[in-house]
Amino acid sequence: MGLGNELPQGALAGLKVIDMASLYAAPLAATIMADFGADVLKVEPPEGDPFRGSKMWPIVARGKRCLALDLRSPDGIAALRELAAEADVVVENYPAAVLAKRGIGWNELSAINPKLIMLSVSCFGATGPYADRPGSGTIGEGFGGLTWLMGESEGPPMLPSVALGDAVGAMSAVIGTLSALYWRDRNGRGQQVDASLYEPILQIVAHAAQRWAPGESPGRCGSRLPGVLRNVYRTVDGRFVAISASTARHEADLLTLAGGMGDHDARVAGWIGGLRQAEVVEALVVRRIPVAPVNTLDELLADVHVRERGSLLHIESERLGDLALAAPTPRLSASPGRIGDVNPPLGHDVADALSWWRS
């Protein structure tokens, strides 16, 4: 059985990546590399990846070739080692002890291929007392302090309604991988990239840390930020706008529009509450005050700016139904990313995989 259609050329064309990971964050890192042209071979268990057939599948598998390997069997392990000998990158999220027991951990694969980059994704990282604990982006959000900061001041901590930690963790993992590849180009040696899911969250909460003093952890502020006129406001037509008046000029102009006296946020909320969403956006854009409508997914797909840039793609798949996929980002002027096959088939021929891998 073949391994899918030819991939488009891109900035990472020729980069050979083995994605032997499961779930979301680690496979998404490999997907981002595939979006930019890397040749990614996704290794699945013989029964197929758990996400196969779901609408998560295009996110974790698009643009990849897929190969069934039983990494609990000697034959599957031998095939992976043969592939890794010629790979640039291996992406994994297994417990380190499991990989070492099977002979496919960092020490074993780097001995076979000294130029290999192994991207190891885990919640807590490869070192430290919690290294062996299981986790996901959600666990990283809670442990990293983001959950504590989300929600209203009098309410409980809240998780975001999206897999934020996994997506941010994947982007951080790609940065580490590309940095390791650049270093290899100058030094000729591979290395392991230890990408935790909680540490990128610390970059998100760093702004709140500026309010920190020993024994006084910052708390929840809803949609507000201390020191900044920033919030989500309801308009008279039942919709919402997001505003961040982050400079003194922005704030002064916004308060002039709002009029009245007293609490700044209440003044702005009262003024916006008497206008339609489109009227608020127009009034603030004219004065170059940062504002945006709070969009639903349907509104994003219909938005003229999103449509012209192709930022969010509506794809109709015979097997998976209607899909909304974010276009590869950031934009490259000469070698932009592209969305590959959203439903790659599961290959079973190791010889076919090796032939493609060596071509």
Side-chain angles (χ1 to χ4, degrees), residues 211-218:
R211 297 184 271 126
W212 174 79
E216 299 178 9
S217 293

Side-chain angles (χ1 to χ4, degrees), residues 95-96 122-134:
S122 63
C123 183
F124 295 100
T127 61
Y130 305 158
D132 290 334
R133 292 186 181 183

Side-chain angles (χ1 to χ4, degrees), residues 225-247:
L225 277 181
V228 180
L229 186 49
R230 168 195 191 260
N231 211 336
V232 173
Y233 301 95
R234 187 182 181 93
T235 58
V236 73
D237 50 354
R239 304 176 80 182
F240 294 89
V241 293
I243 295 175
S244 180
S246 53
T247 72

